[in-house]
Amino acid sequence: MTRVAPFVLVALLGASPAPAAENPDAALLSEAQKLFKPLPRDLATAGFPITTERIALGRVLFFEPRASLDGTVSCARCHLPALYGTDGLARSIGVKDRPNPRNAPTVLNAALQPFAHWRGDRTSVEDQARKALVGPPSFGQPDVESAMKQLDAIPGYRALFQKAFPRDPQPVNADNWASAIGAFERTLVTPSPFDAYLKGKVSALSPSARAGLRSFIQQGCVSCHNGVGIGGASFQKFGLTSDYWKETGSKTADKGRFDVTGNEADAYVFKVASLRNVAMTPPYFHDGSVASLPEAVRVMAKVQLGKDLSPEELTPLVAFLESLTGGVPESFSASPVLPAAGFTAQVR
Ligand code: HEC
Ligand code: HEC
C-alpha cells in the first residue's frame, strides 16, 4: 500500500469537489450566458404591440401579391417560408423583373433588430413593410395610396382591417398595413438548440458545436456577433483588416452606410448580420457573393480579424452556427387563404 503524504491529502481535499468554474462545460455555459440571450416568445414591444387580429391580417397580407404594381409581387416572393424567409438568390428580383441591389435577409427573428436592411436605412419592420410598397425593385407602386386602393377593391379586406383596427374609420391604409405585417413578423421567432443550451441544457449542443462556440468567443467573432440575435444590433465596417471584395469576389464594391449618411466613416459599413438560422440562408453577405457557410466564415475571419483559419478550425465554427437553426413557425410555412373566393397565395 502506498502511503499518501499529508500535504498531498490536503491538496486533494482542497481540490474537491471541483467548483463549477473549473468544469470546462460549466465555465463555457456561464460565459455564453453573459454574451448571448435566448429568444423571447415574441418580439412585441411597448411601441409595437401585437394583437391576434393584427397577426392574422398581417399573415394574409404577407402572402398577398395584389397590392403590388402588377399584382404579382408579395413579401413572400422574396422571403419564402421553404427557404427560411429568404429567396436563395444573390440579389432579389422585384416587380417587372427589376433587380435589387442587395441580398434578401430572412424575416425570421428580423424584428429583434433595432433597425432593418443591410445599411440600417429602415427603423423597424413596420417602417420596412410600408416602404416596400413604393420600393421600385419591390412592389413598385407610385405611392402607398395606389397599393391600398387595389387592396380595398378586393371583397373581404375591409372587414379584416376593421377587425384588426376597430377604432379606425378608414382602416385600409398604409399605416395599418405596416402595423399588421409587423405584428405577424414579431411572431416569427425560431428557438434553436443554442437557446436550449443557454437555458442550461449543455447536451443541446454537440461536442463539436461547443468547441465551435468556444472558438467563436476566443477568435473574437463575439465582439460583433453577440446578444439575442448573435448580431443584428450594430454596424461595422465589412473589411476591417483587408478589402472584403478581394475575398468575396464581389464585382462591385457597395459603399454600404456611406450612401445613406454621406459620412466617410461609414464607407463599407454594414449591419452586423444576425446569425440565427444562418446555415439555412445561403448565399451570404449583403450581395450574396459567397455560396457556402464555411467559405463565409473563412472570409469573416480573414477580413474582420486578419486570421487565416484552416479547414479544421472552420468545422467546429460551422457546427456552432448550425446550432442556431430553429424550426420555421407553422403560421409561416403554411400559405394562408386570401380574401375573395379563396384566392390561394402562389409562392414560387
Ligand atoms: C423583390 C424582393 C422583395 C420583396 C417583394 C420584399 N422584400 Fe424584404 N427584403 C428584400 C431585400 C433585397 C432586402 C434587403 C434590402 C437592403 O438591405 O437593401 C429586404 C429586407 C427586408 C427586411 C429587413 C431584414 C433585415 O434583417 O434587415 C425585412 C424585415 C423585410 N425585407 C420584410 C419584407 C416584407 C414584410 C415585405 C412585404 C411588404 C418585403 N420584405 C418585400 C427583398 C424583398
Ligand atoms: C468587426 C465585426 C465582425 C467580426 C469580428 C465578425 N463579423 Fe461576421 N459579420 C460582420 C458584418 C458587418 C457582417 C455583414 C457583412 C456584409 O455582408 O456586408 C457579417 C456577416 C457574417 C456572416 C454572413 C451572414 C449572412 O447572413 O450573410 C457570417 C456567417 C459571419 N459574419 C460569421 C462570423 C464569424 C464566424 C466570425 C468570427 C470568425 C465573424 N463573423 C466575425 C461583422 C463581424
Side-chain angles (χ1 to χ4, degrees):
M1 197 181 115
T2 3
R3 282 187 64 218
V4 180
F7 67 88
V8 175
L9 256 184
V10 168
L12 282 172
L13 287 172
S16 77
E22 286 174 26
N23 171 338
D25 275 331
L28 179 64
L29 174 60
S30 109
E31 200 178 352
Q33 285 168 333
K34 289 183 202 120
L35 297 165
F36 307 101
K37 291 273 169 294
L39 277 172
R41 273 169 60 103
D42 65 56
L43 306 173
T45 65
F48 295 104
I50 63 180
T51 65
T52 314
E53 291 77 16
R54 290 183 193 182
I55 296 165
L57 171 61
R59 174 167 177 248
V60 168
L61 295 177
F62 192 93
F63 290 88
E64 175 56 78
R66 289 169 291 175
S68 67
L69 183 65
D70 64 0
T72 69
V73 176
S74 69
C75 310
R77 175 190 177 128
C78 304
H79 300 286
L80 282 85
L83 296 178
Y84 268 73
T86 66
D87 59 10
L89 303 172
R91 302 171 204 210
S92 304
I93 308 288
V95 75
K96 297 186 186 287
D97 287 340
R98 291 179 193 150
N100 273 258
R102 279 167 286 276
N103 172 265
T106 181
V107 288
L108 299 172
N109 314 297
L112 269 179
Q113 309 169 103
F115 30 67
H117 281 191
W118 288 101
R119 305 179 303 169
D121 52 349
R122 300 290 183 267
T123 58
S124 60
V125 291
E126 287 76 8
D127 181 42
Q128 198 287 329
R130 196 179 200 282
K131 291 181 178 153
L133 291 169
V134 292
S138 193
F139 282 50
Q141 290 282 13
D143 46 60
V144 295
E145 290 75 22
S146 307
M148 293 305 112
K149 228 162 116 190
Q150 280 175 219
L151 268 190
D152 210 6
I154 301 168
Y157 266 119
R158 202 169 298 173
L160 281 179
F161 274 83
Q162 247 150 17
K163 237 174 123 185
F165 303 93
R167 279 180 301 204
D168 204 327
Q170 253 142 17
V172 185
N173 63 55
D175 287 345
N176 291 345
W177 153 278
S179 300
I181 292 181
F184 174 56
E185 288 178 297
R186 287 175 190 279
T187 66
L188 299 179
V189 292
T190 65
S192 64
F194 186 54
D195 294 276
Y197 173 84
L198 288 176
K199 289 179 178 169
K201 195 177 166 205
V202 169
S203 64
L205 293 198
S206 68
S208 172
R210 270 177 264 155
L213 167 60
R214 190 170 281 121
S215 162
F216 193 84
I217 296 171
Q218 285 171 357
Q219 302 277 2
C221 312
V222 75
S223 64
C224 295
H225 299 279
N226 50 46
V228 56
I230 305 102
S234 62
F235 296 108
Q236 286 288 338
K237 184 174 176 189
F238 185 21
L240 275 180
T241 57
S242 56
D243 294 338
Y244 74 79
W245 52 89
K246 292 187 184 143
E247 298 297 326
T248 58
S250 305
K251 292 196 180 61
T252 51
D254 187 330
K255 287 195 93 178
R257 239 178 117 62
F258 170 80
D259 294 328
V260 177
T261 65
N263 182 347
E264 263 312 322
D266 286 335
Y268 311 115
V269 167
F270 293 88
K271 186 177 67 186
V272 174
S274 163
L275 299 181
R276 286 192 172 273
N277 298 308
V278 71
M280 307 307 284
T281 61
Y284 298 107
F285 299 125
H286 65 265
D287 55 3
S289 52
V290 166
S292 83
L293 188 53
E295 175 62 4
V297 173
R298 185 198 69 76
V299 169
M300 268 284 125
K302 178 80 180 168
V303 309
Q304 303 302 81
L305 300 164
K307 292 181 179 174
D308 289 297
L309 297 189
S310 66
E312 293 70 37
E313 290 172 303
L314 293 175
T315 302
L317 279 169
V318 170
F320 165 60
L321 295 179
E322 285 167 347
S323 81
L324 304 176
T325 302
V328 175
E330 215 181 288
S331 63
F332 188 45
S333 57
S335 297
V337 174
L338 306 185
F343 183 94
T344 306
Q346 294 293 316
V347 178
R348 49 165 193 121

